[in-house]
Structures are given as C-alpha cells and as structure tokens.
Amino acid sequence: MVGRLRGRRWARASLATAVALALPVSAQARPAQQFSVPAGRLSDALIVLSEQAGISIAIGDSRLDTLRTRGIRGRYDTEQALAVLLAGSGYGFVFVDARTVKLVRQAPAPRKSTPRPPRPSPPAEGSGPDIVVTATKQRLGLLDYPASISVVAPERTELARAGGKGTGFILGKLPQLSSTNLGPGRNKVFIRGIADSSFNGSSQATISQYLGETRLIYSAPDPDLALYDIARVEVLEGPQGTLYGAGTLGGIIRLVPNAPDLQSDTFDVSAGVRLTQDGAPGGDGAVTGNLVLARGKLALRAVAYETVDGGYIDDVERGLRDINRNKTTGFRAGLRWQPDVAWTVDLSVLSQDIASRDGQYTLRGEPDLTRRSAIAQPFDNDYRLADLTVRRDWGTVQLVSSTGYADHTIDSTFDATPGGAASPTEFTEEITVHLLSHETRLSGSWGGSGTWLAGFGVVHNDDRVVRSMGTPGSPDLLTSLSNTTLDLAGFGEVGVPITKTLVLTAGGRLSYVRQTSQFIGQMASEDFEPVRTQKRFLPSAAISWTARPGLLVYGRFQQGYRPGGLQVTGSSNSQSAERFGADRIRTVEAGVRFGMEKDARLSGSLAVSLAQWRDVQADLVGLDGLPYIANIGSGRVKNVAFSLAWRAQDHLSFEAAGFLNSSDLSRPAPAFADATDRDLPNIADEGWRVAGKYDRELSWARLTLDAAVRYVGHSKLAIPAPFALGQGRYYDVSTGARLGFGKWGLALDLDNLLNTRANTFAFGNPFSVADGMQQTPMRPRSIRIGFDASF
C-alpha cells in the first residue's frame, strides 16, 4: 500500500515536470501569482506547488515525507512561495535551469514546530507589493480586490510614538475618513462622504468597526480603541452590504491585532510625556508581552496601557483651568491554541475605559481657549469585549467561525441651564449596550483565479437609554427606553475568471431584521406593539482586469442599508411608535490600482464613485436640545479619491492622498425643504495629505525623520437652520524624529506645529448649539518626548 501511494506521488511529480518542460516562460521570470497549497507533508505540498507554478522539483529525499508545512495561500512569486514552504525545514533550493528546481540540505539548525509562513511586509496606506487583505473575507490581495481599499500597517515604534492614539491616528493617515469631534469615545466616523448627522443618537452607525473577526459597535459611537500592538488597519470603502450587512453604508474599519507568537517570548515597553502649549501636561505608557506556554502549540499575548491627555480649555464662569482632561486605561489579551497545522483557536478579551472631565468646546466672543458654563459636563465610555474565533485550513478551503460579546456603557452630562436662570440645570444620558455577534463562513478558490465565499451571521443588539434633567446630582427622569435588534443573514460571493486577466464577481446577502422598542418600567396599552420586521436582499457585482502585472482596473456596483428606526414616544398613559424608512444606498464605482508588483517604487490608486442614498435617517436635536430621529430625504454623493506612494530611495519615501466630495439632499423631506444649503453634514468638500519619511541605519543608530501636512476643507454641522453652522478649512502640520539604538529608542514628536485655532467642529452642547457660538479648536501645539524598548 505504501509503495502504491509513493508511486502515485512520483507520478504526479513526473506529470508536473512534463507540464513545466512544455511551458515557454521560465518560473523565475514569471510575475507573482495566486498559490493555494494545503497544509500537510512537505513532499505533498511541493508536488502541488510544482503543478501550480509549472516547474519541476526534485523531491527524492525520503525525509521530506516526515516534515510538515502549514501550506501557503496568497499571491507570491515562485521563489517566495518556495521559501515559505521550506522555511524551518532545513532545506534550501537552487534553480538548475529556468524550469527545474533542486532542493539543497542546509546546515543543521534547531527545528521549529509548525513554522509560520512569512508574508511580504504590507506597505503604508495600502500601496506597494500585493498583500493579503483579510477584511475581504477571502484573503484577496490588493491586486485582486475590485473596490477601494486602504491598509495602514504601522511599525511597533510608530504606534509607540503615537502615544495611545486611537481613531485619530487612522484619520491622520487616510483623508477619506472623517469624524465628528465631540471628544474621545463619543464621535461618529464616516467614510467616503456618507454622513447622516453630526449628533449622536440611537440610529445604527453608517460604518461598522471590527477587531479581528468581531464586530465592535452597532448603534453606539466610536469606542476609540487605543492602537497599541496592532498589526494593521484595513478600511473597505462602502457600501459593504454583501460581506458585512446592515450599517455599512460608508464601509468598514477593521483593526487587526498582532497574533500571539507560538515560537518566542517577547516584552515591549513604551512611555512618553506630552507638553501642550497653554495647557496641562500629559503622558502615556504601555507594556506588551508574549509568553509561549507550549512551543508551537499555545501562547498568550497581552497589552496594558494608560494615557492622560492634559486639558487646555478654561471655564471663566467657574474659575477653572484646563477642564477637558481625558484619561484612557485599557487591557487586551489573546490566547492562541494551535493543536496542529490546520486548526487555530483564538480567545481574546478587551477592556477600555475613557473618562473625560469636561467638554472640549469653546465659545466665540470669549478669550482664546475659554468658555462659560454653569456645571461640569463629564463623559465616560467603558467598553468590554470577549470573543472566540476558530479557523480550519484545508488548503483550498478555509473555515472561519467567530463569536463575540460586548458590553458598552456611555454616560454623558450636559449643561442645560437656560439663559439668565438663577440655578443650573443638568441633563444626563446613560446608555447601556449589549452586543452579541456571530459569523461562520467558508471560502476557497477554484479554477486558478476563481474564488467563492458562503456564510451566515447573527447580530443581537440591545441598548437601553435613560435620560434625566433637573437639579444637578438628582435630575428628574425624562425617558427610559429599550431598543432591541435581531439581524439574521446568509451571504455569498463568487469570483469567476472569464480569461486569465479578467474576473467577474457577483454576490448577495439576504437579511431578516426584527426590531423592538419600548418604555422600561411603564405599562403600554393592549394594542400597542412597538415591533417591526424587515427583509432585505443586497446584491453586488464587480469586474476586474489585470491589465499588466501590478495594474488592476475595476468597476463595482454595491448596495447597502440600515433598518428603519423605531422611536417610541409618549408617557405611561399614552404611547405611540413612530417608524422610519430604511436607508438604502446604491453605489457605482470605477477605479485603478497600480504599482502592486514586487519592488515597485511608485504605486497608487484612483477611484470615482457615485452614491444614490434614499430615505436618509438622521439623529438630530431640537431647539430644546433634546434628541430625535427623522428621515430627512434622499440625496447623492459624488466622490473622487487618489493615493500615491513613491519610494525614491530605500531610505526615503513620500506619500500623497486626497479627495473631492460633492453631496446634496436632492429630494428633501417636507420638514427640510426650506434649507438653502443642502450639503450633507460634517463632510468636507475637499481634503488632502502629503507626508515624507527618511529612515536610515547609521553607523551608530537608526535615524527616522518624518513630517506630514493635512488639510481639511469646509463642511457644516447640519442641514436645517439654525444648525447649519460652518466648520473646517484648516491645516494640521506634524513632524517628529526617532533615534534607535538596537532594542531601544528615543523619540521627539510635534503636533499642530502651526498652533492652529481653527474650528474643527461647531458643536459641544446640544442645549446651546442653536446660538451658533460653539466651536471646537484643535489641541494647541504640543510636544511628546518618548522612549520605547523591546526585549
């Protein structure tokens, strides 16, 4: 029996050799291609690789039957693919001729169990050689994915220099992303100009955020997780209805943490002190550790951090200085178990608390960086998450199953004191969110460049909102509402190769949504049923053409939606439920991505999109300062975006990115028909960023110098008067340097170099925003002195 099996493998090897000899193009001259080699015995993996690459590999050594490999999946050139499969095996390779490979025994070295296949280093902001982007759920590379996508892959030292920044770090890298600026942990993030409102409420977000495979939010503001120990950030511009379902009108942001290392123990530390002009000092510190519990099988990785941002705003009415101090404390841990080369089990937990002493807005007409308020307006955002992800790799087929549970509490206080009142009035809002999410999917490849994906998902979101207003410390209850959403969905996508360079992709998602809203602790009438069910099918289609190696031209059609809101109003004696139409968006996009080939020095992308957005659902505030929901009408968003990356020399690189955006409420709802300026809120009409980096190893240290200039154009707070307030039109200039001395380094970074006082956001308190006097300045010029070390 053993002899027959060996004979079959030799027959397959001989066939691969014959195929290779018949091919006219050498393996070494070929560009990168898609490989899919299953995990298992090294001898079998080499046979499969030889068939896919069209080369001959001499595998007569019987030791190859005893060695194991994790396999390989992704886009590599032939030499890279061979290096991945042979890593840690004790074998190297040489090309005897253009189509024949000979394996060479290397000097004995300590054997590593289940060596990890290396991937090409991902470039900053999604440019450079093709890499696998797991947010596509099919491990497609930048050269294969037919839509706008950005990847930010910072080095460990760059994140240390950022000093605990969260979403602000990503916004500083990608101009296509924008955000409100109410404060850390209370902002709304938008992608590609798809913005519904500048105010927080119970509507589902227009984007979705993920940590690994787990959903972070549904109807809550950005949790603003600190980006310590993050491998990369992937941004898929939307809509992303087929892959990610409801609430992805603008796209998704996916944080990919560093996975536990099964081979070696590591320990990293970083700390810094930040001094702010005209403000209080702050600081940051983080500790990251990786502990191997069973080499090649089990490892634990954890990071703990704390950041203090000193305040810089004074309250002249209360006689207080630097009132807007923020403190972030967090912990994240991941446990990876790999019982064999095919199975991987990841268990992770996360905890982060953000505490703000007061709001960060000022008032026009007051001295610089000051305002007047009767009471403090603190804010807290506490986030907890646990998730379990199981993966199984059969080579050409992969299974991913992920389950996550999040607890999220958001507490806000605002000064609701009427003008001229003798005693202060306090408004409080306490939001508690419980989010359970699950997804199981299978994906694979077929026919060379063909791909397929099928899966199902479940999301159960429950949020409870308690609002009170009255005497500070003991306000009277206004409302106590509970909103529950159950979202069940099945989805699939398939990529069909029409020719070797032309691929047609089609997919769809079928969703069933059940929503319930009700007062808590109050009896409703018998005929009152605040329940709503919806069904939705979201198709998608795309075509992509690899015009030449490293150049992709594509077109895409995609749909997205948000379930229509259900708002309960009234009192214990009389209640009613107001239903809102579901957001529906259709986007057509065309683009080109180039410079994805190996060793390319110039790379970039250009994309043009048109979105038709029906029944825009928005969270608004009334003249009394209280929140409400409304369908404001239908509109359209036109967007043009580009990115460029140029590696002038190995140690010198430049980046540029920007966009033009035009949006309008083309068919406003009757209540908003009188608006003269119908641009959608909080989205700048233009924006751009240019940056440069010098990174060179000197004889005595590694020197890194970088600088960036970002411009944010004009936008407005909201559509209707008196909330249509202007904001934006400012420059943000930053620069910094780091000296690395082996395993440790010193850094100096300057933010807001021009000490700009521009109005970034015209809102800070809903009870006085209609006066048109509120503005949110940038943090004044600040300097951070930092230290980092790795052991």
Side-chain angles (χ1 to χ4, degrees):
M1 181 66 180
V2 173
R4 287 198 298 271
L5 291 175
R6 288 184 179 274
R8 290 174 185 173
R9 291 204 306 273
W10 279 108
R12 289 170 61 192
S14 300
L15 177 61
T17 302
V19 172
L21 293 175
L23 294 175
V25 182
S26 72
Q28 291 171 292
R30 290 183 178 183
Q33 68 181 79
Q34 188 77 18
F35 284 96
S36 180
V37 180
R41 286 185 297 189
L42 181 58
S43 56
D44 292 336
L46 289 170
I47 291 173
V48 175
L49 184 139
S50 69
E51 294 171 346
Q52 295 181 5
I55 60 175
S56 173
I57 306 176
I59 55 173
D61 194 332
S62 61
R63 278 176 45 87
L64 297 173
D65 287 340
T66 66
L67 299 178
R68 306 284 293 180
T69 178
R70 286 176 54 89
I72 181 175
R73 178 174 170 79
R75 181 173 291 274
Y76 299 85
D77 63 31
T78 304
E79 291 186 354
Q80 287 177 326
L82 281 167
V84 168
L85 288 184
L86 295 174
S89 66
Y91 285 84
F93 65 92
V94 293
F95 275 86
V96 177
D97 56 37
R99 293 181 292 268
T100 306
V101 176
K102 178 182 178 181
L103 301 185
V104 179
R105 289 285 300 275
Q106 297 175 331
R111 182 180 172 183
K112 296 181 179 180
S113 300
T114 61
R116 180 185 301 171
R119 289 178 180 172
S121 299
E125 302 185 29
S127 58
D130 195 35
I131 64 171
V132 173
V133 182
T134 51
T136 64
K137 298 189 178 183
Q138 300 183 69
R139 301 184 190 175
L140 294 175
L142 290 174
L143 189 54
D144 301 307
Y145 184 65
S148 294
I149 186 170
S150 300
V151 179
V152 178
E155 295 182 359
R156 177 189 62 84
T157 55
E158 187 177 2
L159 292 180
R161 290 172 56 188
K165 286 184 179 179
T167 305
F169 178 86
I170 308 171
L171 294 171
K173 294 283 188 179
L174 303 176
Q176 276 284 73
L177 272 66
S178 60
S179 170
T180 60
N181 197 16
L182 193 58
R186 58 202 311 193
N187 294 321
K188 299 173 72 171
V189 181
F190 309 112
I191 302 176
R192 193 192 261 172
I194 307 299
D196 55 349
S197 163
S198 297
F199 309 108
N200 292 334
S202 58
S203 296
Q204 189 179 10
T206 61
I207 71 164
S208 188
Q209 297 183 7
Y210 283 74
L211 179 67
E213 299 292 341
T214 303
R215 190 165 192 155
L216 292 174
I217 61 170
Y218 188 87
S219 59
D222 172 28
D224 204 4
L225 300 181
L227 299 185
Y228 284 115
D229 200 36
I230 294 294
R232 65 184 183 275
V233 179
E234 301 173 346
V235 178
L236 299 187
E237 297 187 13
Q240 289 293 329
T242 295
L243 293 181
Y244 289 95
T248 59
L249 306 183
I252 70 129
I253 299 175
R254 183 169 180 264
L255 311 180
V256 183
N258 286 311
D261 187 342
L262 300 174
Q263 302 297 336
S264 58
D265 299 334
T266 59
F267 183 75
D268 301 323
V269 296
S270 65
V273 175
R274 185 180 298 275
L275 304 176
T276 299
Q277 185 172 330
D278 301 317
D284 59 84
V287 177
T288 304
N290 189 96
L291 178 63
V292 177
L293 304 176
R295 190 166 300 278
K297 298 289 185 180
L298 187 67
L300 173 69
R301 190 178 188 92
V303 55
Y305 54 88
E306 182 172 289
T307 301
V308 175
D309 297 319
Y312 51 88
I313 292 174
D314 302 336
D315 192 310
V316 295
E317 183 170 333
R318 293 182 290 146
L320 299 176
R321 295 180 55 84
D322 305 327
I323 59 175
N324 60 317
R325 176 183 184 266
N326 297 304
K327 181 179 180 180
T328 302
T329 305
F331 172 80
R332 189 175 74 248
L335 181 68
R336 167 162 288 191
W337 177 43
Q338 199 166 67
D340 57 38
V341 295
W343 286 98
T344 302
V345 180
D346 288 304
L347 175 65
S348 61
V349 295
L350 178 152
S351 174
Q352 179 173 284
D353 297 335
I354 299 176
S356 301
R357 286 183 176 174
D358 216 319
Q360 62 181 25
Y361 68 98
T362 63
L363 296 176
R364 290 190 178 94
E366 297 290 340
D368 189 29
L369 299 177
T370 62
R371 75 160 186 265
R372 297 177 181 272
S373 52
I375 61 173
Q377 303 175 74
F379 170 81
D380 285 288
N381 184 319
D382 299 336
Y383 192 88
R384 310 286 184 266
L385 174 71
D387 68 88
L388 175 68
T389 301
V390 179
R391 295 178 175 86
R392 176 65 164 91
D393 194 333
W394 288 277
T396 57
V397 178
Q398 293 78 40
L399 166 71
V400 178
S401 182
S402 177
T403 302
Y405 180 77
D407 270 331
H408 196 181
T409 60
I410 306 146
D411 298 335
S412 304
T413 299
F414 292 106
D415 180 7
T417 306
S423 58
T425 301
E426 175 185 85
F427 173 84
T428 63
E429 182 179 67
E430 301 173 2
I431 302 175
T432 303
V433 181
H434 305 291
L435 173 61
L436 174 66
S437 60
H438 172 83
E439 181 178 286
T440 295
R441 66 179 185 268
L442 285 168
S443 61
S445 59
W446 61 280
S449 57
T451 60
W452 61 270
L453 166 73
F456 68 91
V458 180
V459 174
H460 186 272
N461 185 81
D462 179 76
D463 63 76
R464 181 170 298 187
V465 182
V466 179
R467 298 186 178 107
S468 304
M469 187 161 63
T471 305
S474 58
D476 299 323
L477 178 66
L478 288 179
T479 58
S480 181
L481 297 174
S482 174
N483 301 287
T484 302
T485 302
L486 174 64
D487 188 337
L488 307 176
F491 59 93
E493 191 171 74
V494 61
V496 181
I498 306 301
T499 68
K500 289 183 178 181
T501 60
L502 191 67
V503 177
L504 177 65
T505 302
R509 188 183 191 97
L510 179 62
S511 298
Y512 168 83
V513 178
R514 185 179 190 273
Q515 297 169 291
T516 304
S517 295
Q518 60 184 347
F519 281 108
I520 301 172
Q522 299 180 3
M523 297 296 294
S525 59
E526 293 183 358
D527 59 348
F528 179 64
E529 296 182 359
V531 177
R532 183 176 189 174
T533 61
Q534 304 172 55
K535 295 179 183 178
R536 182 73 58 182
F537 178 72
L538 301 175
S540 63
I543 189 167
S544 58
W545 173 44
T546 306
R548 60 174 177 78
L551 176 61
L552 179 73
V553 181
Y554 66 86
R556 188 176 184 90
F557 168 79
Q558 179 69 277
Q559 288 191 358
Y561 89 109
R562 288 187 299 178
L566 184 63
Q567 181 171 262
V568 177
T569 59
S571 64
S572 58
N573 297 322
S574 175
Q575 299 178 16
S576 63
E578 185 177 0
R579 290 173 169 83
F580 302 96
D583 293 59
R584 289 161 289 174
I585 194 167
R586 298 178 179 179
T587 299
V588 178
E589 174 188 358
V592 59
R593 198 152 47 239
F594 62 91
M596 299 296 107
E597 68 271 25
K598 183 181 179 182
D599 298 327
R601 289 193 174 272
L602 180 65
S603 58
S605 64
L606 175 66
V608 180
S609 65
L610 171 64
Q612 299 284 350
W613 192 357
R614 296 181 60 187
D615 296 326
V616 179
Q617 188 178 175
D619 290 304
L620 304 173
V621 297
L623 294 176
D624 59 0
L626 297 177
Y628 70 99
I629 305 173
N631 282 124
I632 62 176
S634 299
R636 58 193 172 198
V637 181
K638 304 173 185 177
N639 187 273
V640 179
F642 77 93
S643 68
L644 287 173
W646 177 39
R647 186 161 54 91
Q649 300 178 14
D650 290 341
H651 57 273
L652 182 63
S653 59
F654 300 94
E655 298 170 355
F659 71 91
L660 295 174
N661 193 81
S662 174
S663 65
D664 68 290
L665 199 63
S666 53
R667 288 180 293 167
F672 302 90
D674 293 337
T676 56
D677 184 355
R678 297 177 180 176
D679 291 350
L680 294 181
N682 210 75
I683 298 300
D685 52 3
E686 62 177 317
W688 51 263
R689 174 184 181 267
V690 293
K693 182 176 182 179
Y694 178 90
D695 190 357
R696 190 162 194 171
E697 194 74 37
L698 306 177
S699 59
W700 53 282
R702 178 183 175 184
L703 173 62
T704 302
L705 300 172
D706 49 46
V709 180
R710 185 169 66 104
Y711 174 72
V712 178
H714 174 264
S715 65
K716 64 178 184 178
L717 181 69
I719 294 176
F723 305 104
L725 306 170
Q727 57 192 18
R729 289 201 179 106
Y730 63 90
Y731 294 89
D732 184 8
V733 182
S734 61
T735 186
R738 179 184 182 273
L739 278 176
F741 304 93
K743 294 185 177 181
W744 65 280
L746 296 173
L748 181 69
D749 292 278
L750 287 165
D751 291 328
N752 192 8
L753 191 63
L754 303 180
N755 205 26
T756 301
R757 290 287 195 274
N759 181 19
T760 64
F761 190 49
F763 172 57
N765 182 348
F767 294 93
S768 54
V769 64
D771 297 338
M773 304 302 291
Q774 297 176 14
Q775 54 187 5
T776 305
M778 295 174 59
R779 173 175 288 274
R781 181 187 295 118
S782 62
I783 181 171
R784 180 186 181 274
I785 304 171
F787 164 83
D788 64 85
S790 180
F791 306 97

